[in-house]
PDB file of all heavy atoms in Angstrom:
ATOM      1  N   THR A 230      29.978  15.268  -7.223  1.00 38.00           N
ATOM      2  CA  THR A 230      28.970  14.453  -6.553  1.00 38.00           C
ATOM      3  C   THR A 230      27.672  15.223  -6.418  1.00 38.00           C
ATOM      4  O   THR A 230      26.595  14.727  -6.726  1.00 38.00           O
ATOM      5  CB  THR A 230      29.467  14.042  -5.145  1.00 38.00           C
ATOM      6  OG1 THR A 230      30.772  13.517  -5.277  1.00 38.00           O
ATOM      7  CG2 THR A 230      28.552  13.028  -4.501  1.00 38.00           C
ATOM      8  N   LEU A 231      27.758  16.485  -5.969  1.00 37.00           N
ATOM      9  CA  LEU A 231      26.559  17.297  -5.797  1.00 37.00           C
ATOM     10  C   LEU A 231      25.863  17.534  -7.126  1.00 37.00           C
ATOM     11  O   LEU A 231      24.646  17.490  -7.214  1.00 37.00           O
ATOM     12  CB  LEU A 231      26.921  18.639  -5.151  1.00 37.00           C
ATOM     13  CG  LEU A 231      27.262  18.571  -3.654  1.00 37.00           C
ATOM     14  CD1 LEU A 231      27.760  19.922  -3.176  1.00 37.00           C
ATOM     15  CD2 LEU A 231      26.053  18.129  -2.840  1.00 37.00           C
ATOM     16  N   ALA A 232      26.657  17.750  -8.150  1.00 39.00           N
ATOM     17  CA  ALA A 232      26.066  17.982  -9.469  1.00 39.00           C
ATOM     18  C   ALA A 232      25.306  16.744  -9.910  1.00 39.00           C
ATOM     19  O   ALA A 232      24.192  16.830 -10.435  1.00 39.00           O
ATOM     20  CB  ALA A 232      27.161  18.314 -10.480  1.00 39.00           C
ATOM     21  N   ALA A 233      25.886  15.581  -9.630  1.00 40.00           N
ATOM     22  CA  ALA A 233      25.214  14.337 -10.020  1.00 40.00           C
ATOM     23  C   ALA A 233      23.926  14.161  -9.244  1.00 40.00           C
ATOM     24  O   ALA A 233      22.899  13.787  -9.788  1.00 40.00           O
ATOM     25  CB  ALA A 233      26.136  13.149  -9.763  1.00 40.00           C
ATOM     26  N   CYS A 234      23.978  14.509  -7.928  1.00 40.00           N
ATOM     27  CA  CYS A 234      22.780  14.361  -7.089  1.00 40.00           C
ATOM     28  C   CYS A 234      21.686  15.313  -7.528  1.00 40.00           C
ATOM     29  O   CYS A 234      20.519  15.022  -7.423  1.00 40.00           O
ATOM     30  CB  CYS A 234      23.108  14.645  -5.628  1.00 40.00           C
ATOM     31  SG  CYS A 234      24.116  13.376  -4.899  1.00 40.00           S
ATOM     32  N   GLY A 235      22.056  16.473  -7.991  1.00 40.00           N
ATOM     33  CA  GLY A 235      21.063  17.500  -8.261  1.00 40.00           C
ATOM     34  C   GLY A 235      20.514  17.505  -9.666  1.00 40.00           C
ATOM     35  O   GLY A 235      19.735  18.376 -10.009  1.00 40.00           O
ATOM     36  N   SER A 236      20.913  16.554 -10.477  1.00 40.00           N
ATOM     37  CA  SER A 236      20.440  16.584 -11.858  1.00 40.00           C
ATOM     38  C   SER A 236      18.932  16.455 -11.884  1.00 40.00           C
ATOM     39  O   SER A 236      18.339  15.720 -11.117  1.00 40.00           O
ATOM     40  CB  SER A 236      21.088  15.474 -12.669  1.00 40.00           C
ATOM     41  OG  SER A 236      20.671  14.241 -12.176  1.00 40.00           O
ATOM     42  N   GLY A 237      18.313  17.200 -12.783  1.00 43.00           N
ATOM     43  CA  GLY A 237      16.861  17.280 -12.814  1.00 43.00           C
ATOM     44  C   GLY A 237      16.178  15.975 -13.098  1.00 43.00           C
ATOM     45  O   GLY A 237      15.157  15.660 -12.548  1.00 43.00           O
ATOM     46  N   SER A 238      16.695  15.166 -13.960  1.00 47.00           N
ATOM     47  CA  SER A 238      16.062  13.898 -14.270  1.00 47.00           C
ATOM     48  C   SER A 238      17.127  12.966 -14.832  1.00 47.00           C
ATOM     49  O   SER A 238      18.295  13.308 -14.910  1.00 47.00           O
ATOM     50  CB  SER A 238      14.953  14.094 -15.292  1.00 47.00           C
ATOM     51  OG  SER A 238      15.525  14.398 -16.536  1.00 47.00           O
ATOM     52  N   ASP A 239      16.647  11.768 -15.213  1.00 46.00           N
ATOM     53  CA  ASP A 239      17.601  10.789 -15.721  1.00 46.00           C
ATOM     54  C   ASP A 239      17.974  11.030 -17.184  1.00 46.00           C
ATOM     55  O   ASP A 239      18.771  10.326 -17.757  1.00 46.00           O
ATOM     56  CB  ASP A 239      16.984   9.374 -15.641  1.00 46.00           C
ATOM     57  CG  ASP A 239      16.774   8.972 -14.196  1.00 46.00           C
ATOM     58  OD1 ASP A 239      17.368   9.622 -13.333  1.00 46.00           O
ATOM     59  OD2 ASP A 239      16.024   8.013 -13.959  1.00 46.00           O
ATOM     60  N   SER A 240      17.325  11.986 -17.815  1.00 46.00           N
ATOM     61  CA  SER A 240      17.509  12.140 -19.247  1.00 46.00           C
ATOM     62  C   SER A 240      18.855  12.778 -19.586  1.00 46.00           C
ATOM     63  O   SER A 240      19.484  13.420 -18.784  1.00 46.00           O
ATOM     64  CB  SER A 240      16.395  13.031 -19.794  1.00 46.00           C
ATOM     65  OG  SER A 240      16.535  14.304 -19.249  1.00 46.00           O
ATOM     66  N   SER A 252      13.863   8.715 -20.306  1.00 96.00           N
ATOM     67  CA  SER A 252      13.534   7.588 -19.427  1.00 96.00           C
ATOM     68  C   SER A 252      12.028   7.559 -19.209  1.00 96.00           C
ATOM     69  O   SER A 252      11.371   8.603 -19.141  1.00 96.00           O
ATOM     70  CB  SER A 252      14.264   7.725 -18.102  1.00 96.00           C
ATOM     71  OG  SER A 252      14.014   8.988 -17.548  1.00 96.00           O
ATOM     72  N   PHE A 253      11.501   6.367 -19.105  1.00 97.00           N
ATOM     73  CA  PHE A 253      10.059   6.165 -19.023  1.00 97.00           C
ATOM     74  C   PHE A 253       9.786   5.072 -17.993  1.00 97.00           C
ATOM     75  O   PHE A 253      10.406   4.005 -18.053  1.00 97.00           O
ATOM     76  CB  PHE A 253       9.559   5.777 -20.425  1.00 97.00           C
ATOM     77  CG  PHE A 253       8.197   5.139 -20.521  1.00 97.00           C
ATOM     78  CD1 PHE A 253       7.162   5.494 -19.671  1.00 97.00           C
ATOM     79  CD2 PHE A 253       7.937   4.191 -21.514  1.00 97.00           C
ATOM     80  CE1 PHE A 253       5.915   4.908 -19.797  1.00 97.00           C
ATOM     81  CE2 PHE A 253       6.685   3.598 -21.642  1.00 97.00           C
ATOM     82  CZ  PHE A 253       5.675   3.951 -20.775  1.00 97.00           C
ATOM     83  N   SER A 254       8.908   5.343 -17.031  1.00 95.00           N
ATOM     84  CA  SER A 254       8.577   4.333 -16.022  1.00 95.00           C
ATOM     85  C   SER A 254       7.086   4.057 -16.005  1.00 95.00           C
ATOM     86  O   SER A 254       6.269   4.965 -16.174  1.00 95.00           O
ATOM     87  CB  SER A 254       8.985   4.800 -14.626  1.00 95.00           C
ATOM     88  OG  SER A 254      10.365   4.709 -14.482  1.00 95.00           O
ATOM     89  N   THR A 284      11.535   1.505 -17.966  1.00 93.00           N
ATOM     90  CA  THR A 284      11.880   0.766 -16.751  1.00 93.00           C
ATOM     91  C   THR A 284      10.593   0.465 -16.009  1.00 93.00           C
ATOM     92  O   THR A 284       9.823   1.378 -15.703  1.00 93.00           O
ATOM     93  CB  THR A 284      12.790   1.619 -15.834  1.00 93.00           C
ATOM     94  OG1 THR A 284      13.901   2.057 -16.600  1.00 93.00           O
ATOM     95  CG2 THR A 284      13.288   0.802 -14.648  1.00 93.00           C
ATOM     96  N   LEU A 286       8.277  -0.604 -12.862  1.00 88.00           N
ATOM     97  CA  LEU A 286       8.293  -0.508 -11.396  1.00 88.00           C
ATOM     98  C   LEU A 286       7.188  -1.415 -10.855  1.00 88.00           C
ATOM     99  O   LEU A 286       6.177  -1.624 -11.526  1.00 88.00           O
ATOM    100  CB  LEU A 286       8.028   0.934 -10.936  1.00 88.00           C
ATOM    101  CG  LEU A 286       9.077   1.982 -11.305  1.00 88.00           C
ATOM    102  CD1 LEU A 286       8.601   3.371 -10.868  1.00 88.00           C
ATOM    103  CD2 LEU A 286      10.408   1.674 -10.639  1.00 88.00           C
ATOM    104  N   THR A 294       6.947   5.275  -4.741  1.00 89.00           N
ATOM    105  CA  THR A 294       8.274   5.220  -5.370  1.00 89.00           C
ATOM    106  C   THR A 294       8.451   6.415  -6.305  1.00 89.00           C
ATOM    107  O   THR A 294       9.484   7.084  -6.307  1.00 89.00           O
ATOM    108  CB  THR A 294       8.420   3.907  -6.181  1.00 89.00           C
ATOM    109  OG1 THR A 294       8.072   2.822  -5.335  1.00 89.00           O
ATOM    110  CG2 THR A 294       9.828   3.721  -6.709  1.00 89.00           C
ATOM    111  N   LEU A 295       7.420   6.663  -7.080  1.00 91.00           N
ATOM    112  CA  LEU A 295       7.489   7.760  -8.051  1.00 91.00           C
ATOM    113  C   LEU A 295       7.655   9.109  -7.354  1.00 91.00           C
ATOM    114  O   LEU A 295       8.528   9.912  -7.735  1.00 91.00           O
ATOM    115  CB  LEU A 295       6.218   7.762  -8.906  1.00 91.00           C
ATOM    116  CG  LEU A 295       6.112   8.858  -9.960  1.00 91.00           C
ATOM    117  CD1 LEU A 295       7.152   8.644 -11.063  1.00 91.00           C
ATOM    118  CD2 LEU A 295       4.724   8.914 -10.565  1.00 91.00           C
ATOM    119  N   THR A 296       6.847   9.341  -6.322  1.00 87.00           N
ATOM    120  CA  THR A 296       6.934  10.648  -5.654  1.00 87.00           C
ATOM    121  C   THR A 296       8.284  10.823  -4.965  1.00 87.00           C
ATOM    122  O   THR A 296       8.838  11.922  -4.954  1.00 87.00           O
ATOM    123  CB  THR A 296       5.789  10.849  -4.636  1.00 87.00           C
ATOM    124  OG1 THR A 296       5.695   9.695  -3.821  1.00 87.00           O
ATOM    125  CG2 THR A 296       4.477  11.102  -5.310  1.00 87.00           C
ATOM    126  N   THR A 297       8.803   9.745  -4.404  1.00 87.00           N
ATOM    127  CA  THR A 297      10.112   9.849  -3.760  1.00 87.00           C
ATOM    128  C   THR A 297      11.176  10.218  -4.787  1.00 87.00           C
ATOM    129  O   THR A 297      12.048  11.057  -4.549  1.00 87.00           O
ATOM    130  CB  THR A 297      10.475   8.517  -3.068  1.00 87.00           C
ATOM    131  OG1 THR A 297       9.403   8.166  -2.212  1.00 87.00           O
ATOM    132  CG2 THR A 297      11.739   8.634  -2.252  1.00 87.00           C
ATOM    133  N   ARG A 298      11.080   9.611  -5.965  1.00 89.00           N
ATOM    134  CA  ARG A 298      12.063   9.916  -7.009  1.00 89.00           C
ATOM    135  C   ARG A 298      11.861  11.345  -7.535  1.00 89.00           C
ATOM    136  O   ARG A 298      12.821  12.052  -7.837  1.00 89.00           O
ATOM    137  CB  ARG A 298      11.945   8.909  -8.163  1.00 89.00           C
ATOM    138  CG  ARG A 298      12.359   7.500  -7.752  1.00 89.00           C
ATOM    139  CD  ARG A 298      12.410   6.571  -8.938  1.00 89.00           C
ATOM    140  NE  ARG A 298      13.478   6.933  -9.856  1.00 89.00           N
ATOM    141  CZ  ARG A 298      13.650   6.396 -11.056  1.00 89.00           C
ATOM    142  NH1 ARG A 298      12.827   5.475 -11.490  1.00 89.00           N
ATOM    143  NH2 ARG A 298      14.643   6.772 -11.832  1.00 89.00           N
ATOM    144  N   LEU A 299      10.611  11.763  -7.606  1.00 88.00           N
ATOM    145  CA  LEU A 299      10.346  13.140  -8.060  1.00 88.00           C
ATOM    146  C   LEU A 299      10.924  14.146  -7.075  1.00 88.00           C
ATOM    147  O   LEU A 299      11.544  15.135  -7.468  1.00 88.00           O
ATOM    148  CB  LEU A 299       8.831  13.362  -8.195  1.00 88.00           C
ATOM    149  CG  LEU A 299       8.159  12.780  -9.437  1.00 88.00           C
ATOM    150  CD1 LEU A 299       6.644  12.730  -9.262  1.00 88.00           C
ATOM    151  CD2 LEU A 299       8.511  13.574 -10.687  1.00 88.00           C
ATOM    152  N   GLN A 300      10.725  13.871  -5.783  1.00 84.00           N
ATOM    153  CA  GLN A 300      11.251  14.792  -4.767  1.00 84.00           C
ATOM    154  C   GLN A 300      12.764  14.821  -4.777  1.00 84.00           C
ATOM    155  O   GLN A 300      13.384  15.848  -4.493  1.00 84.00           O
ATOM    156  CB  GLN A 300      10.743  14.371  -3.383  1.00 84.00           C
ATOM    157  CG  GLN A 300       9.289  14.717  -3.171  1.00 84.00           C
ATOM    158  CD  GLN A 300       8.609  13.809  -2.170  1.00 84.00           C
ATOM    159  OE1 GLN A 300       9.229  12.926  -1.592  1.00 84.00           O
ATOM    160  NE2 GLN A 300       7.324  14.009  -1.993  1.00 84.00           N
ATOM    161  N   GLY A 301      13.372  13.693  -5.106  1.00 84.00           N
ATOM    162  CA  GLY A 301      14.830  13.628  -5.118  1.00 84.00           C
ATOM    163  C   GLY A 301      15.432  14.062  -6.437  1.00 84.00           C
ATOM    164  O   GLY A 301      16.650  13.961  -6.628  1.00 84.00           O
ATOM    165  N   GLY A 302      14.587  14.521  -7.370  1.00 86.00           N
ATOM    166  CA  GLY A 302      15.103  14.972  -8.659  1.00 86.00           C
ATOM    167  C   GLY A 302      15.612  13.825  -9.512  1.00 86.00           C
ATOM    168  O   GLY A 302      16.428  14.021 -10.414  1.00 86.00           O
ATOM    169  N   GLN A 303      15.154  12.612  -9.238  1.00 88.00           N
ATOM    170  CA  GLN A 303      15.636  11.446  -9.972  1.00 88.00           C
ATOM    171  C   GLN A 303      14.516  10.732 -10.724  1.00 88.00           C
ATOM    172  O   GLN A 303      14.657   9.560 -11.072  1.00 88.00           O
ATOM    173  CB  GLN A 303      16.289  10.453  -8.991  1.00 88.00           C
ATOM    174  CG  GLN A 303      17.510  10.991  -8.270  1.00 88.00           C
ATOM    175  CD  GLN A 303      18.642  11.304  -9.215  1.00 88.00           C
ATOM    176  OE1 GLN A 303      19.005  10.488 -10.055  1.00 88.00           O
ATOM    177  NE2 GLN A 303      19.193  12.497  -9.121  1.00 88.00           N
ATOM    178  N   ALA A 304      13.442  11.434 -10.960  1.00 91.00           N
ATOM    179  CA  ALA A 304      12.304  10.777 -11.613  1.00 91.00           C
ATOM    180  C   ALA A 304      12.523  10.695 -13.118  1.00 91.00           C
ATOM    181  O   ALA A 304      13.285  11.476 -13.693  1.00 91.00           O
ATOM    182  CB  ALA A 304      11.030  11.546 -11.312  1.00 91.00           C
ATOM    183  N   PRO A 305      11.863   9.747 -13.777  1.00 95.00           N
ATOM    184  CA  PRO A 305      11.987   9.638 -15.235  1.00 95.00           C
ATOM    185  C   PRO A 305      11.344  10.833 -15.948  1.00 95.00           C
ATOM    186  O   PRO A 305      10.598  11.602 -15.345  1.00 95.00           O
ATOM    187  CB  PRO A 305      11.254   8.340 -15.557  1.00 95.00           C
ATOM    188  CG  PRO A 305      10.353   8.113 -14.406  1.00 95.00           C
ATOM    189  CD  PRO A 305      10.988   8.724 -13.206  1.00 95.00           C
ATOM    190  N   ASP A 306      11.626  10.932 -17.232  1.00 96.00           N
ATOM    191  CA  ASP A 306      11.067  12.044 -18.015  1.00 96.00           C
ATOM    192  C   ASP A 306       9.570  11.884 -18.224  1.00 96.00           C
ATOM    193  O   ASP A 306       8.823  12.862 -18.206  1.00 96.00           O
ATOM    194  CB  ASP A 306      11.759  12.113 -19.383  1.00 96.00           C
ATOM    195  CG  ASP A 306      13.243  12.328 -19.241  1.00 96.00           C
ATOM    196  OD1 ASP A 306      13.639  13.438 -18.871  1.00 96.00           O
ATOM    197  OD2 ASP A 306      14.018  11.372 -19.479  1.00 96.00           O
ATOM    198  N   VAL A 307       9.145  10.651 -18.456  1.00 97.00           N
ATOM    199  CA  VAL A 307       7.708  10.386 -18.637  1.00 97.00           C
ATOM    200  C   VAL A 307       7.324   9.194 -17.778  1.00 97.00           C
ATOM    201  O   VAL A 307       8.151   8.306 -17.548  1.00 97.00           O
ATOM    202  CB  VAL A 307       7.325  10.117 -20.114  1.00 97.00           C
ATOM    203  CG1 VAL A 307       7.537  11.335 -20.955  1.00 97.00           C
ATOM    204  CG2 VAL A 307       8.077   8.942 -20.681  1.00 97.00           C
ATOM    205  N   PHE A 308       6.099   9.175 -17.319  1.00 97.00           N
ATOM    206  CA  PHE A 308       5.692   8.084 -16.449  1.00 97.00           C
ATOM    207  C   PHE A 308       4.179   7.905 -16.438  1.00 97.00           C
ATOM    208  O   PHE A 308       3.433   8.816 -16.787  1.00 97.00           O
ATOM    209  CB  PHE A 308       6.198   8.289 -15.016  1.00 97.00           C
ATOM    210  CG  PHE A 308       6.039   9.684 -14.486  1.00 97.00           C
ATOM    211  CD1 PHE A 308       4.826  10.141 -14.031  1.00 97.00           C
ATOM    212  CD2 PHE A 308       7.141  10.560 -14.460  1.00 97.00           C
ATOM    213  CE1 PHE A 308       4.686  11.426 -13.538  1.00 97.00           C
ATOM    214  CE2 PHE A 308       7.007  11.857 -13.977  1.00 97.00           C
ATOM    215  CZ  PHE A 308       5.770  12.294 -13.513  1.00 97.00           C
ATOM    216  N   ASN A 530       7.326  14.802 -16.787  1.00 96.00           N
ATOM    217  CA  ASN A 530       7.997  15.417 -15.642  1.00 96.00           C
ATOM    218  C   ASN A 530       8.388  16.863 -15.976  1.00 96.00           C
ATOM    219  O   ASN A 530       9.129  17.112 -16.935  1.00 96.00           O
ATOM    220  CB  ASN A 530       9.252  14.575 -15.335  1.00 96.00           C
ATOM    221  CG  ASN A 530      10.014  15.053 -14.125  1.00 96.00           C
ATOM    222  OD1 ASN A 530       9.696  16.086 -13.546  1.00 96.00           O
ATOM    223  ND2 ASN A 530      11.023  14.287 -13.751  1.00 96.00           N
ATOM    224  N   LYS A 532      10.439  18.706 -14.623  1.00 92.00           N
ATOM    225  CA  LYS A 532      11.870  18.962 -14.465  1.00 92.00           C
ATOM    226  C   LYS A 532      12.699  18.225 -15.504  1.00 92.00           C
ATOM    227  O   LYS A 532      13.940  18.226 -15.428  1.00 92.00           O
ATOM    228  CB  LYS A 532      12.312  18.556 -13.061  1.00 92.00           C
ATOM    229  CG  LYS A 532      11.805  19.506 -12.005  1.00 92.00           C
ATOM    230  CD  LYS A 532      12.425  19.232 -10.667  1.00 92.00           C
ATOM    231  CE  LYS A 532      11.937  20.261  -9.653  1.00 92.00           C
ATOM    232  NZ  LYS A 532      12.136  19.820  -8.293  1.00 92.00           N
ATOM    233  N   SER A 533      12.043  17.583 -16.439  1.00 94.00           N
ATOM    234  CA  SER A 533      12.794  16.906 -17.497  1.00 94.00           C
ATOM    235  C   SER A 533      13.587  17.933 -18.305  1.00 94.00           C
ATOM    236  O   SER A 533      13.129  19.062 -18.529  1.00 94.00           O
ATOM    237  CB  SER A 533      11.817  16.173 -18.426  1.00 94.00           C
ATOM    238  OG  SER A 533      12.485  15.771 -19.596  1.00 94.00           O
TER     239      SER A 533
ATOM    240  N   PHE B 335       6.718  18.910  -2.881  1.00 79.00           N
ATOM    241  CA  PHE B 335       7.212  19.395  -4.170  1.00 79.00           C
ATOM    242  C   PHE B 335       7.322  20.915  -4.213  1.00 79.00           C
ATOM    243  O   PHE B 335       8.363  21.471  -4.434  1.00 79.00           O
ATOM    244  CB  PHE B 335       6.275  18.960  -5.303  1.00 79.00           C
ATOM    245  CG  PHE B 335       6.171  17.484  -5.467  1.00 79.00           C
ATOM    246  CD1 PHE B 335       5.189  16.775  -4.811  1.00 79.00           C
ATOM    247  CD2 PHE B 335       7.053  16.794  -6.271  1.00 79.00           C
ATOM    248  CE1 PHE B 335       5.087  15.407  -4.950  1.00 79.00           C
ATOM    249  CE2 PHE B 335       6.956  15.428  -6.420  1.00 79.00           C
ATOM    250  CZ  PHE B 335       5.974  14.735  -5.758  1.00 79.00           C
TER     251      PHE B 335
END
Side-chain angles (χ1 to χ4, degrees):
Chain A
T230 311
L231 286 173
C234 290
S236 65
S238 71
D239 294 344
S240 65
S252 53
F253 163 34
S254 285
T284 306
L286 295 176
T294 308
L295 179 68
T296 48
T297 307
R298 293 188 67 189
L299 282 164
Q300 285 154 2
Q303 297 296 311
D306 300 288
V307 295
F308 44 78
N530 183 354
K532 288 189 177 161
S533 167
Chain B
F335 298 92

